[in-house]
Amino acid sequence: MGLRRDLDPDRLRAATAIAQRIDELNQLVKDYVEITPWSAKRIRTVEALISARAKRRQYLRPDLFVEPDWDMLLDLYVARLRGRRVSVSSLCIAGNIPPTTALRHIADMVENGEINRTPDPADQRRAFLDLSDDTFARITDWIDHCL
């Protein structure tokens, strides 16, 4: 997916500026929106889990703990609770595997309906990922069961 060549450059600049302003306004709103205590507890729990999973690699061989799909799902879960968008490149980093391998895992999860891929309207080279509603509900159920 490349940039469309037939777009008016002025309209493209305007669309990009609008998208950036929307992101800025979303961030301002998020700063004032309170996270419910239960959601905050879920965020703390998952972030502690992510941190503990990363620390395991300091004590034992890192290849013992390769679960990139789970790492990416947890990252998307916290992002959704915090109201943040996650780009494909950011999620690749969360997977702790080479980018080309992460892209294959992402494509598989999109194909299976676990995550959604949404193109960035301001930049067709970029896309955002989020959990499907069903996957979000299932992870929430699992976390609540663990709590």
Side-chain angles (χ1 to χ4, degrees), residues 78-93:
V78 170
R80 182 162 175 175
L81 287 177
R82 291 191 179 280
R84 294 189 180 140
R85 298 191 309 176
V86 177
S87 68
V88 172
S89 57
S90 176
L91 195 61
C92 286
I93 293 168

Side-chain angles (χ1 to χ4, degrees), residues 56-116:
R56 297 182 306 185
R57 294 180 191 104
Q58 295 174 4
Y59 296 95
L60 296 165
R61 284 190 351 249
D63 61 310
L64 292 173
F65 307 109
V66 179
E67 293 180 287
D69 292 359
W70 186 235
D71 291 330
M72 290 187 270
L73 290 173
L74 292 176
D75 190 72
L76 288 170
Y77 185 82
V78 170
R80 182 162 175 175
L81 287 177
R82 291 191 179 280
R84 294 189 180 140
R85 298 191 309 176
V86 177
S87 68
V88 172
S89 57
S90 176
L91 195 61
C92 286
I93 293 168
N96 293 307
I97 53 177
T100 53
T101 306
L103 290 171
R104 284 194 302 274
H105 285 264
I106 290 169
D108 184 56
M109 288 189 285
V110 168
E111 184 178 315
N112 288 309
E114 288 134 351
I115 61 177
N116 303 313

Side-chain angles (χ1 to χ4, degrees), residues 32 37 83 115 124 140 143:
Y32 291 98
I115 61 177
Q124 293 301 309
T140 298
I143 290 166

Side-chain angles (χ1 to χ4, degrees), residues 6 8 23 28 42 44 73-74 92 95 106 115 142-143:
D6 59 337
D8 177 7
D23 284 344
L28 287 172
R42 288 180 184 128
R44 285 192 308 274
L73 290 173
L74 292 176
C92 286
I106 290 169
I115 61 177
W142 175 78
I143 290 166

Side-chain angles (χ1 to χ4, degrees), residues 114-132:
E114 288 134 351
I115 61 177
N116 303 313
R117 181 184 179 103
T118 308
D120 182 345
D123 184 348
Q124 293 301 309
R125 297 168 296 174
R126 185 167 71 168
F128 295 104
L129 301 165
D130 63 356
L131 292 176
S132 68

